[in-house]
Amino acid sequence: MTAKTSDIAILLAGKSHPHVSVRVGREFRAIEIGKGGIAALDEATRRAIRGAAVMARVDAAFVDALPALEIVSSFGVGYDHVDAAYCASRNVMVTNTPDVLSEEVADTAVGLLINTVRELPRAEKWLRDGRWKKDGAYPLTAATLRGRHAGIFGLGRIGLAIARRLEAMGLAVSYHNRRPVEGVAYHYHASLKDMAAAVDTLISVVPGGAATDRAVNAGVLEALGSDGVFINIGRGSAVDEQALIEALSAGTIRAAGLDVFADEPNVPEALLALPNACLLPHVGSSTQHTRRAMANLVVDNLVSWFDRGTVLTPVPETAGLKQE
Ligand code: NAP
Ligand code: 8YV
């Protein structure tokens, strides 16, 4: 701990990973935010805060309440809870935690796909409920991964890690982004709906936010078709959840596997009741190994900013900002 950084006040906002709290406490002057939020901090403390390690909403009011704020270091690669454009306009650097979680989240996505298509959670329940002994073998699944064609909505860092796994498993892979990815041989579709019509397995890995809001809508699900499987490992906001419930209920698509929801942790009763929905409580990156790597990156960005005036993983909106 240098004399310089130990004097710097860093706010811990939201339910911080314990390793973030420990390291921030060791390397900086940590300010815990209580139930009262920023408003409960005294003015001198608010004015002293130069950085924030967050797992919480950061809006204009948050930024304006902290006049000396230089950096928001957010836990997670998705930063739709941070108003990064506003931060940029106030010269506040924003960082996230890309790459260190990509392989873990891709593993989860593939597990969720297999569980959804091969009904493994339901087969396990069959065994645990004693039905294997009582009723015999679990019924053969109507769906298979064999011969499937996956369409990845969002071929970024995680999307690419999923694509590589699916390719190794013998699936055909296509993708839709706003722009084609250079150096990638997978077939590119300029339209999400056209891609949905061309594939039978749609995997959403796009960030949340206005640009992707309810992009997977009734028309896209209809295009996916009656053997269609939809997997969402990105953000719940990218799907029209009501349209998805209707498509699953009516057999417009076959099944869905969801790790993310529009209003977490509130999952609609209608989804809970559907046997063809395989549901996970947002566990894409949830291993001790990966969460610790994410926690380290949150603090490494703060250390780098206050030691050298640069960060390791800025979000695009603030990538050009310099320390004043
Ligand atoms: P990334 O590398 O930035 O990839 C995002 C991809 O989405 C890019 O290829 C981007 O391509 C595409 N995209 C963005 N907006 C789009 C739009 N409006 N239309 C079409 N394509 C669009 O991000 P990542 O590291 O792979 O992470 C992706 C997301 O996964 C995160 O933002 C987060 O929300 C989610 N996530 C979930 C979990 C979990 O636990 N379930 C864990 C980690 C991350 P273009 O810019 O060319 O369009
Ligand atoms: C985490 C995520 O669950 O990185 C992301 O965008 O969605 C997940 O890794 C989240 O950030 C914190 O709970």
Side-chain angles (χ1 to χ4, degrees):
M1 179 167 70
T2 67
K4 192 175 146 235
T5 61
S6 64
D7 290 342
I8 295 171
I10 302 291
L11 180 69
L12 295 166
K15 203 171 178 305
S16 285
H17 185 284
H19 192 57
V20 171
S21 310
V22 168
R23 273 198 65 197
V24 167
R26 210 187 280 148
E27 306 194 33
F28 298 97
R29 179 156 75 88
I31 311 288
E32 301 271 354
I33 197 167
K35 281 218 172 78
I38 293 183
L41 295 174
D42 64 70
E43 193 180 343
T45 307
R46 269 197 305 105
R47 291 191 169 279
I49 289 168
R50 293 176 60 193
V54 307
M55 213 168 121
R57 194 167 139 75
V58 174
D59 55 12
F62 180 104
V63 175
D64 291 345
L66 306 172
L69 188 66
E70 297 171 36
I71 177 170
V72 169
S73 184
S74 181
F75 188 90
V77 65
Y79 57 97
D80 37 313
H81 53 284
V82 177
D83 189 341
Y86 188 75
C87 288
S89 77
R90 309 304 299 213
N91 223 27
V92 173
M93 173 61 75
V94 178
T95 60
N96 62 345
T97 62
D99 298 316
V100 293
L101 44 56
S102 297
E103 302 298 327
E104 195 82 74
V105 179
D107 289 345
T108 311
V110 172
L112 181 56
L113 172 65
I114 297 173
N115 278 358
T116 305
V117 169
R118 294 296 316 282
E119 304 173 13
L120 299 186
R122 289 168 67 188
E124 182 170 355
K125 185 168 184 321
W126 182 274
L127 178 154
R128 289 182 185 277
D129 288 350
R131 296 198 58 189
W132 191 10
K133 257 194 218 163
K134 188 156 82 56
D135 300 325
Y138 183 77
L140 305 185
T141 62
T144 175
L145 279 177
R146 298 304 94 219
R148 278 199 175 263
H149 183 171
I152 299 194
F153 176 30
L155 193 80
R157 290 167 291 235
I158 299 171
L160 205 49
I162 295 171
R164 293 201 176 109
R165 282 161 174 72
L166 298 185
E167 195 182 4
M169 289 162 67
L171 278 73
V173 176
S174 299
Y175 72 101
H176 165 66
N177 284 0
R178 288 166 297 189
R179 289 168 289 278
V181 179
E182 267 179 50
V184 156
Y186 306 123
H187 183 72
Y188 174 70
H189 288 269
S191 142
L192 173 60
K193 194 169 174 187
D194 289 352
M195 179 174 79
V199 303
D200 50 32
T201 307
L202 177 62
I203 303 179
S204 182
V205 208
V206 283
T212 57
D213 189 50
R214 282 166 290 176
V216 178
N217 56 27
V220 169
L221 295 168
E222 202 173 313
L224 188 58
S226 58
D227 189 35
V229 172
F230 172 64
I231 302 296
N232 194 1
I233 194 83
R235 279 292 180 265
S237 60
V239 184
D240 180 338
E241 222 163 54
Q242 196 48 45
L244 177 62
I245 290 166
E246 280 160 26
L248 287 168
S249 310
T252 309
I253 66 169
R254 181 183 286 284
L258 310 173
D259 184 48
V260 286
F261 302 88
D263 178 29
E264 297 175 4
N266 304 305
V267 178
E269 285 297 327
L271 262 182
L272 295 174
L274 282 168
N276 53 348
C278 188
L279 309 174
L280 295 178
H282 199 147
V283 293
S285 66
S286 307
T287 62
Q288 293 177 3
H289 165 89
T290 291
R291 288 292 174 85
R292 192 174 174 95
M294 293 161 68
N296 272 324
L297 188 47
V298 166
V299 186
D300 289 346
N301 271 310
L302 292 168
V303 169
S304 176
W305 180 255
F306 290 108
D307 271 356
R308 296 182 286 283
T310 57
V311 292
L312 308 174
T313 52
V315 303
E317 291 88 334
T318 62
L321 290 191
K322 301 252 176 325
Q323 207 174 37
E324 284 181 328

